[in-house]
Amino acid sequence: MADLSTNCAGIKSPNPFWLASAPPANSGEQVMRAFDHGWGGAVWKTLGEDPPVINVTSRYGAIDIGGQKIAGLNNVELITDRPLADNLKEIYQVKKRYPKHAVVASLMVPCERASWHDIVKRVEDAGCDGLELNFGCPHGMSERGMGSAVGQIPEYTQRVTEYVKEIAKTPVLVKLTPNITDIRYPARAAKAGGADGVSLINTINSVMGVNLDTLTPKFAVGGKGAHGGYCGPAVKPIALNMVSQISNDPETRGLPMSGIGGISTWSDAVEFMLLGCSSVQLCTAVMHYGFRIVEELNAGLSDWMDQKGFKKLDDFIGLSAPNIVEWKHLNLHHKTVAKIQPDKCIECQLCFVACNDTAHQCIAIPAKPTAKGRKRVPVVIEEDCVGCNLCSLVCPVDGCIEMTPVKTGHAPLTWEQYTKNGFKGYKEVYKRMHS
Amino acid sequence: MADNDLFRVRFQELKPAMRPEEAHLESSRCLYCYDAPCIQACPTHIDVPRFIKQIASKNVEGSGKTILEANALGHSCARVCPVEVLCEGSCVYLAWHEKPIEIARLQRYATDHLHENDLEPFKPGKDNGKPVAVIGAGPAGLSCAYYLRRLGHPVTVFEKQKVPGGLNSHGVAEYKMTQETSLDEVKKLLELGAKLEDGVEIGKDVTAALLEKKFSAVFVGIGLGPTNRLNVPGEELDGVWDALSFIWHVKRRKLAPLGKSETTIVIGAGNTSIDAVTQSKRTGAGRVLMAYRRGESDMSAYDFEYALAKSDGAEFLWNAAPVAILGRKKVEGVRFQRTKLKKDGSLELLKETFDVKCDRVIKAIGQSKLTGLASKLGLGLDQGGRIAVNPTTLATSRKRWFAGGDSINGGKEVVNAAADGKRAAWHIHASLTGAKTPAPEHAYWVATIEGKKLVQTPNPAERLNG
Ligand SMILES: Cc1cc2nc3c(=O)[nH]c(=O)nc-3n(C[C@H](O)[C@H](O)[C@H](O)COP(=O)(O)OP(=O)(O)OC[C@H]3O[C@@H](n4cnc5c(N)ncnc54)[C@H](O)[C@@H]3O)c2cc1C
Ligand SMILES: Cc1cc2nc3c(=O)[nH]c(=O)nc-3n(C[C@H](O)[C@H](O)[C@H](O)COP(=O)(O)O)c2cc1C
Ligand code: SF4
């Protein structure tokens, strides 16, 4: 069996799966139970100054897509609403019982040096293995000048990180907010402030919907709603993009990352790791199904590593990051066309209508049946196919439509080279564009 | 078992209503095929993917509207259609070796919503002063009346029975649809303003000439006549029933006149025979045998109907032609002659005869055609004795007289009758008003007559190689 242990920015854990700072990591009792199930670490529900915050009801909303419950989750919950002393006592107890597991204290206090120094000292005294600075929470706390109000301004991010690094003895992760235009700026600021790593993403600003009977927000607090933070399966691609940007930014390349956002399965986690994360955090999936999901997370990861011949996580962390490049480096001479496997086709004609109404009008229904009783099997007009993928995406049958590479015989050519050459060298791979 | 309990237990609906959660999950499964095969498989061409997506998006009223646009009898069709050979039988999930979408139960979910909330999606059209008479308040006549009202024609429906609905009320197996449900639908269809004259038999109480005088056009939806006779000795004995009368008693839920039966023999192997078999079993007959003069593979009943009869515990006598019904006052048995199918498909009667004891015989060998009535109404017939019509317009040989349903097709399904009624309504309207194309509010349902879409995605087939 592969070695799943990890070291993320100096925080060690028996496996890379951590509970994200959120309700699953709200108390010592929960965190210990999670560790018993097999979680490698937990980022405690964000701690703040006393008196604790007061939360509202209700707090969560979700979108369901078809039969899929909670494709996306939204919340207007604040940081922990329990007294700091209770949390510190429990952190201490957990660490005593689980010395090998990672317990990371998530922190959020006003942007003053004294406040940060005070809380860092207290959580480190309680025995935590690392700190996560919550510069990401997009609702409520941000109105009070904390959370994403810090994460959205790189100078603040750097300054508060510096305050913490002045006295922290344990590694410091800065948790980034996705509610910005370019994630590289706050990541660079965190690094400049001395952070040992970053964790991302926190939740995305969101309004879950409007109730068409009452005309008030869905998931309201007495008829009124505030924007909340969005997470769950729907946000994974956004998180992956941000992770890859930090991986590939020359200024932050190599900065340890803890990946968060929409992870539900072991394969989701592997994707984050392939783009450079050395640990991953989960919230929504745990809130949907409970701590037990970690059993399959660990088993799936281990089996995949065995199949691929990876012995430890470092063997593959970051391997895919270089494959994400800027558009201008893509090969204009690469060509694929859609091929429909007639024997797999169930004749729903979703590809037909998608291509003809919204892509490149190159899927046809032959006048004569393609085989006995098969009057509705579409055929791709390959010369005209631009290889956009749409048909294969709408096809409900696995492997029925495959995008098949075509040899063009032309040397690779990128947009960058093309424009540098004075727009020369492009061999008109797609006739239709020019006919 | 008291009759009430018996109906509650043994006549439970084969296709029960869906709960909202079930409807949500099932509707979400629909792939929303383009030019979906289920639309084409439905004789009324309901836009099935559209009404299912409307359920999935919680627009249940809109879903019901989509259904009734194309099929005025969508409420009963959801219960009685042989969907295994129609919409559901064409679902692409079958090609995937998966369970097809439960189209009928979803359809029922939507139309039940209209009924439970007393919603009628359509309004009658502005009175155009061209009254139309409809003969027969069966599915064909009611469908025609509904669309004619939408088009603005004053409509009077003449029905010889006291209870309207045709075979929907008197024939369809009670575990598919109760008479009450059929009558609810009739009531709702008439809400658009068609007048029902029940207990009036055209050709007897009212002449064709009188109709012609009072109405601009006539639609004939008279269905078929009584069950065919066997023409064997003993047919008049006590305990010999024709299937329609037998089923009529069951549907009225008055079982006393049927008496008790230890052994029932049903003669014939069509869908009506199956209904007679299953409803005999369910009303307490001990043994029920279905006798057919040809073999199992020749029976005209649908596979799923045959399967139902088998699961109800029926027994089967193949290659057995009835030659006499035995008994003195009451039926005591049936004498059969063995048959053999010849290579050319014709039947050879063998020498061997055998008797089977029974105390009830139900004849289910098809319904006769109302050729006498049709001739009296001055309507030409085709070679099969059906009322002859132009297949596009459903016009008969008599000017401004149209016909549809069982009377022109010799006996198909409710949905075919509903489709005919819709087709005839448009062509009656066109012939009376000279309209060539429908007004915008009618464009959609008129397009469904031929199963067309209002806007079609072009098929670039001419660019295919070879
Ligand atoms: C036992 C049985 C079971 C069936 N089960 C199913 C099923 O499960 N699913 C399905 O889809 N189909 C089923 N069918 C077929 C279906 O019932 C018919 O195809 C459908 O009812 C035909 O409709 P229609 O309007 O043409 O005729 P009908 O339903 O026969 O209606 C004709 C109406 O015209 C009236 N009428 C006749 N003559 C006159 C006159 N001179 N003046 C006034 N009124 C007159 C009759 O009283 C009747 O009400 C079944 C048929 C039978 C016999
Ligand atoms: C109900 C709820 C409360 C949360 N509270 C916090 C919090 O206190 N501190 C924090 O840093 N992130 C908080 N988050 C964000 C999560 O830690 C995590 O970043 C986010 O949910 C994305 O991961 P996921 O897609 O696996 O849910 C919260 C999320 C949810 C759903
Ligand atoms: S890949 Fe795009 S252009 Fe090509 S056939 Fe599919 S949908 Fe059409």
Side-chain angles (χ1 to χ4, degrees):
Chain A
M1 197 185 124
D3 174 7
L4 301 189
S5 69
T6 193
N7 179 345
C8 178
I11 304 167
K12 298 194 183 95
S13 64
N15 64 55
F17 300 107
W18 298 356
L19 294 178
S21 174
N26 203 35
S27 68
E29 190 273 329
Q30 286 168 286
V31 171
M32 290 193 280
R33 213 144 37 82
F35 289 169
D36 289 342
H37 272 92
W39 289 87
V43 185
W44 212 272
K45 172 78 188 167
T46 303
L47 307 171
E49 288 182 334
D50 286 333
V53 300
I54 298 168
N55 274 308
V56 291
T57 46
S58 64
R59 301 173 201 181
Y60 310 148
I63 56 167
D64 305 336
I65 298 180
Q68 165 74 55
K69 294 287 285 178
I70 314 190
L73 178 73
N74 151 295
N75 81 91
V76 293
E77 189 172 286
L78 304 178
I79 61 176
T80 184
D81 51 12
R82 305 171 64 228
L84 182 59
D86 292 5
N87 282 306
L88 295 176
K89 199 168 76 201
E90 291 169 20
I91 290 175
Y92 175 78
Q93 286 165 349
V94 173
K95 270 318 294 182
K96 241 174 77 184
R97 276 185 55 187
Y98 299 86
K100 293 210 164 67
H101 290 68
V103 174
V104 178
S106 168
L107 305 176
M108 184 197 291
V109 291
C111 287
E112 285 151 25
R113 174 183 262 125
S115 300
W116 282 97
H117 280 192
D118 179 58
I119 198 157
V120 167
K121 267 190 30 222
R122 294 176 69 178
V123 296
E124 288 191 340
D125 284 349
C128 69
D129 301 296
L131 310 172
E132 187 180 84
L133 314 186
N134 181 345
F135 297 164
C137 181
H139 46 263
M141 302 312 288
S142 53
E143 294 169 19
R144 305 173 197 181
M146 295 181 264
S148 65
V150 180
Q152 284 169 337
I153 299 175
E155 299 87 74
Y156 292 179
T157 301
Q158 178 172 347
R159 192 186 320 146
V160 175
T161 309
E162 282 165 358
Y163 293 160
V164 171
K165 282 301 288 184
E166 282 163 11
I167 64 149
K169 298 197 216 76
T170 59
V172 175
L173 296 169
V174 170
K175 185 165 178 182
L176 302 177
T177 174
N179 300 307
I180 39 89
T181 9
D182 189 336
I183 196 71
R184 289 173 296 189
Y185 290 86
R188 287 171 194 163
K191 191 180 175 198
D196 300 279
V198 287
S199 26
L200 69 159
I201 56 175
N202 208 311
T203 54
I204 304 173
N205 286 341
S206 57
V207 167
M208 293 311 276
V210 180
N211 181 318
L212 300 188
D213 290 324
T214 59
L215 312 189
T216 55
K218 277 187 186 157
F219 313 109
V221 180
K224 295 272 187 280
H227 82 260
Y230 195 48
C231 51
V235 311
K236 191 184 92 175
I238 297 170
L240 286 176
N241 171 52
M242 293 185 165
V243 163
S244 75
Q245 281 185 295
I246 295 172
S247 266
N248 290 325
D249 179 11
E251 292 190 37
T252 52
R253 189 167 289 150
L255 183 66
M257 284 184 288
S258 183
I260 321 169
I263 299 172
S264 311
T265 64
W266 65 269
S267 57
D268 294 335
V270 168
E271 293 175 58
F272 277 82
M273 290 193 247
L274 284 168
L275 293 178
C277 298
S278 40
S279 73
V280 289
Q281 302 182 25
L282 288 81
C283 167
T284 304
V286 194
M287 290 178 75
H288 197 163
Y289 299 113
F291 295 137
R292 61 198 165 119
I293 63 168
V294 77
E295 291 153 21
E296 173 51 20
L297 293 172
N298 277 318
L301 172 61
S302 170
D303 290 347
W304 176 78
M305 287 172 67
D306 290 348
Q307 277 164 27
K308 287 277 176 191
F310 295 127
K311 301 242 168 334
K312 52 187 191 320
L313 301 185
D314 278 337
D315 291 351
F316 69 90
I317 287 174
L319 284 191
S320 300
N323 294 330
I324 299 197
V325 296
E326 287 182 83
W327 196 96
K328 65 185 179 197
H329 296 137
L330 300 175
N331 179 9
L332 298 174
H333 276 152
H334 177 72
K335 176 172 180 170
T336 61
V337 295
K339 285 217 164 56
I340 299 173
Q341 313 286 329
D343 46 330
K344 286 196 175 164
C345 175
I346 59 169
E347 307 186 23
C348 68
Q349 295 193 350
L350 288 173
C351 59
F352 169 84
V353 72
C355 185
N356 284 296
D357 281 357
T358 71
H360 293 85
Q361 298 80 44
C362 54
I363 295 186
I365 313 294
K368 286 198 211 110
T370 44
K372 200 162 166 274
R374 304 276 266 151
K375 284 190 293 203
R376 294 172 47 88
V377 180
V379 173
V380 176
I381 304 165
E382 289 180 15
E383 313 78 272
D384 295 345
C385 174
V386 306
C388 74
N389 245 6
L390 179 63
C391 53
S392 75
L393 298 179
V394 301
C395 179
V397 182
D398 278 351
C400 174
I401 305 187
E402 304 214 294
M403 302 309 295
T404 317
V406 176
K407 280 213 181 79
T408 62
H410 305 313
L413 177 77
T414 67
W415 176 258
E416 196 172 42
Q417 293 163 334
Y418 182 49
T419 49
K420 250 192 216 138
N421 294 347
F423 296 96
K424 282 204 219 60
Y426 179 58
K427 294 292 194 284
E428 298 180 13
V429 183
Y430 304 112
K431 257 195 326 199
R432 182 169 150 76
M433 289 177 170
H434 297 265
S435 60
Chain B
M1 214 185 276
D3 282 4
N4 272 348
D5 292 341
L6 179 141
F7 276 97
R8 190 168 42 75
V9 177
R10 298 207 187 139
F11 283 79
Q12 263 177 32
E13 289 176 298
L14 278 191
K15 290 188 182 157
M18 270 187 174
R19 288 169 298 113
E21 297 82 354
E22 202 180 356
H24 181 65
L25 281 179
E26 186 63 7
S27 59
S28 302
R29 227 162 56 83
C30 172
L31 297 175
Y32 202 53
C33 295
Y34 180 72
D35 197 8
C38 49
I39 305 177
Q40 294 311 325
C42 170
T44 62
H45 305 303
I46 296 176
D47 192 338
V48 174
R50 176 168 158 193
F51 93 68
I52 292 181
K53 278 293 149 195
Q54 286 172 300
I55 293 175
S57 67
K58 307 220 153 71
N59 180 9
V60 186
E61 183 178 348
S63 176
K65 182 173 177 180
T66 301
I67 293 161
L68 296 192
E69 270 276 8
N71 184 350
L73 278 93
H75 192 58
S76 52
C77 280
R79 293 159 162 86
V80 309
C81 273
V83 289
E84 292 82 348
V85 296
L86 296 173
C87 53
E88 291 183 19
S90 74
C91 179
V92 301
Y93 269 104
L94 289 168
W96 217 354
H97 305 290
E98 298 278 346
K99 199 167 80 68
I101 303 291
E102 290 197 62
I103 298 171
R105 289 182 68 217
L106 286 168
Q107 180 169 322
R108 169 173 176 175
Y109 182 75
T111 63
D112 277 359
H113 177 84
L114 297 184
H115 275 256
E116 281 156 18
N117 296 286
D118 202 12
L119 301 167
E120 171 53 56
F122 302 107
K123 288 198 207 44
K126 213 174 120 227
D127 190 344
N128 60 22
K130 297 195 183 301
V132 181
V134 169
I135 311 178
L142 290 166
S143 166
C144 190
Y146 186 77
Y147 290 102
L148 285 169
R149 286 301 301 141
R150 287 188 62 187
L151 290 163
H153 295 275
V155 177
T156 309
V157 183
F158 296 94
E159 169 56 56
K160 73 173 177 197
Q161 305 252 19
K162 270 291 174 198
V163 176
L167 289 171
N168 249 355
S169 298
H170 299 292
V172 167
E174 190 70 359
Y175 47 76
K176 290 186 189 166
M177 178 170 70
T178 61
Q179 191 178 71
E180 193 188 348
T181 305
S182 167
L183 293 177
D184 282 350
E185 181 176 61
V186 174
K187 189 164 155 258
K188 202 150 178 6
L189 288 165
L190 295 176
E191 273 168 18
L192 282 195
K195 225 165 71 202
L196 175 67
E197 297 270 0
D198 53 11
V200 179
E201 185 171 343
I202 303 296
K204 191 171 138 221
D205 305 325
V206 173
T207 61
L210 189 70
L211 283 187
E212 189 117 281
K213 227 163 72 208
K214 287 176 72 179
F215 295 93
S216 309
V218 180
F219 176 77
V220 181
I222 53 175
L224 297 171
T227 308
N228 286 321
R229 289 180 53 84
L230 283 170
N231 294 325
V232 298
E235 214 167 338
E236 317 306 333
L237 285 172
D238 231 21
V240 178
W241 291 88
D242 74 87
L244 286 184
S245 317
F246 177 81
I247 292 167
W248 185 78
H249 283 290
V250 175
K251 295 222 37 114
R252 286 169 67 232
R253 301 193 169 202
K254 298 235 164 31
L255 301 180
L258 296 175
K260 296 254 179 278
S261 168
E262 289 291 321
T263 305
T264 294
I265 293 179
V266 175
I267 293 171
N271 293 312
T272 300
S273 321
I274 302 275
D275 286 1
V277 165
T278 54
Q279 293 179 104
S280 292
K281 265 284 177 191
R282 283 161 205 243
T283 49
R287 272 180 90 194
V288 179
L289 291 99
M290 195 171 106
Y292 184 40
R293 55 201 178 104
R294 292 170 185 266
E296 185 178 9
S297 56
D298 305 309
M299 70 189 290
S300 62
Y302 297 124
D303 289 348
F304 61 88
E305 294 282 16
Y306 180 32
L308 185 69
K310 282 197 273 196
S311 73
D312 274 6
E315 299 161 53
F316 302 90
L317 286 173
W318 305 114
N319 295 101
V323 285
I325 297 178
L326 312 171
R328 266 177 242 159
K329 274 184 77 183
K330 218 181 151 313
V331 55
E332 288 166 20
V334 178
R335 177 158 302 154
F336 292 102
Q337 190 164 2
R338 274 268 170 243
T339 68
K340 196 180 125 193
L341 201 65
K342 288 199 284 198
K343 279 217 178 73
D344 64 0
S346 65
L347 212 56
E348 184 186 341
L349 290 174
L350 303 178
K351 290 230 170 63
E352 183 199 341
T353 61
F354 59 99
D355 295 350
V356 182
K357 282 195 177 149
C358 68
D359 50 19
R360 185 195 281 159
V361 170
I362 302 177
K363 300 176 286 175
I365 51 164
Q367 286 171 263
S368 59
K369 316 237 160 37
L370 291 171
T371 48
L373 175 60
S375 307
K376 206 165 174 186
L377 298 177
L379 308 174
L381 300 175
D382 69 9
Q383 280 169 344
R386 297 165 291 221
I387 298 174
V389 290
N390 171 325
T392 308
T393 62
L394 302 188
T396 66
S397 60
R398 185 165 181 167
K399 206 163 168 239
R400 303 232 159 125
W401 284 56
F402 295 73
D406 280 1
S407 66
I408 67 162
N409 62 33
K412 281 188 178 168
E413 313 294 341
V414 171
V415 66
N416 301 99
D420 286 352
K422 174 174 69 171
R423 179 183 287 274
W426 169 248
H427 288 287
I428 288 171
H429 178 74
S431 79
L432 293 183
T433 61
K436 295 239 152 35
T437 50
E441 68 269 29
H442 300 298
Y444 178 82
W445 72 260
V446 172
T448 65
I449 293 173
E450 305 293 349
K452 292 220 174 80
K453 291 189 274 292
L454 290 178
V455 184
Q456 178 92 23
T457 290
N459 176 10
E462 72 289 350
R463 297 211 314 270
L464 275 177
N465 285 332

